Amino acid sequence: QVQLVESGGGLVQPGGSLRLSCAASGSIFRFNTMAWYRQAPGKQRELVATITRSGSANYADSVKGRFTISRDNAKNTMYLQMNSLKPEDTAVYLCTVDDTLLRRYWGQGTQVTVSS
C-alpha cells in the first residue's frame, strides 16, 4: 500500500509563505496524477491543485497565481509552494496520489493556519 507523509504546515501571518511536502512510498506501481486538497471546518473539501507525472499543473481559481504545485518523480515527492497567504487559506491540506491501477491514496493532512 502507498504511504503518504506530509510536512510543512504551520502558523503564518497573512501575506506569508509556506511550502508543503508530500512524500509517497510503498507501491510497485507508477504514480500518476498527484493532487492537493484542503478541508476547512464546516466547508466542503476543495481541490486545490493537481499535477501529472509530466508536470502539467492545474489550480483552483482561489489559489491561482499564489500557489505552485511541483513534483520530484525520482523522490516520489510533491510540493505546494504557497505565497501571499490569506486567512481564507486556513485549512487542513491533504495530498493524494493516483497509481497505475487508478487507486487513490490519501495522506493524513497537515494544518495550515493563516492569522495575525
Side-chain angles (χ1 to χ4, degrees), residues 72-88:
D72 184 336
N73 290 333
K75 297 180 179 179
N76 287 329
T77 301
M78 176 178 62
Y79 307 94
L80 185 67
Q81 179 66 47
M82 305 184 294
N83 298 325
S84 302
L85 283 162
K86 305 174 181 179
E88 52 262 45

Side-chain angles (χ1 to χ4, degrees), residues 29-40:
F29 300 104
R30 276 164 53 98
F31 300 148
N32 292 321
T33 298
M34 302 181 76
W36 288 98
Y37 289 78
R38 65 186 181 187
Q39 177 77 64

Side-chain angles (χ1 to χ4, degrees), residues 16-100:
S17 297
L18 282 175
R19 186 184 187 228
L20 305 183
S21 299
C22 175
S25 64
S27 176
I28 64 172
F29 300 104
R30 276 164 53 98
F31 300 148
N32 292 321
T33 298
M34 302 181 76
W36 288 98
Y37 289 78
R38 65 186 181 187
Q39 177 77 64
K43 301 293 182 62
Q44 189 174 3
R45 185 166 58 215
E46 176 187 18
L47 177 61
V48 176
T50 64
I51 185 167
T52 66
R53 286 192 58 84
S54 63
S56 180
N58 286 283
Y59 300 91
D61 289 341
S62 58
V63 307
K64 195 171 298 182
R66 299 188 297 120
F67 291 10
T68 302
I69 189 172
S70 61
R71 64 190 290 171
D72 184 336
N73 290 333
K75 297 180 179 179
N76 287 329
T77 301
M78 176 178 62
Y79 307 94
L80 185 67
Q81 179 66 47
M82 305 184 294
N83 298 325
S84 302
L85 283 162
K86 305 174 181 179
E88 52 262 45
D89 295 318
T90 296
V92 173
Y93 283 71
L94 303 131
C95 65
T96 68
V97 59
D98 297 341
D99 70 13
T100 55

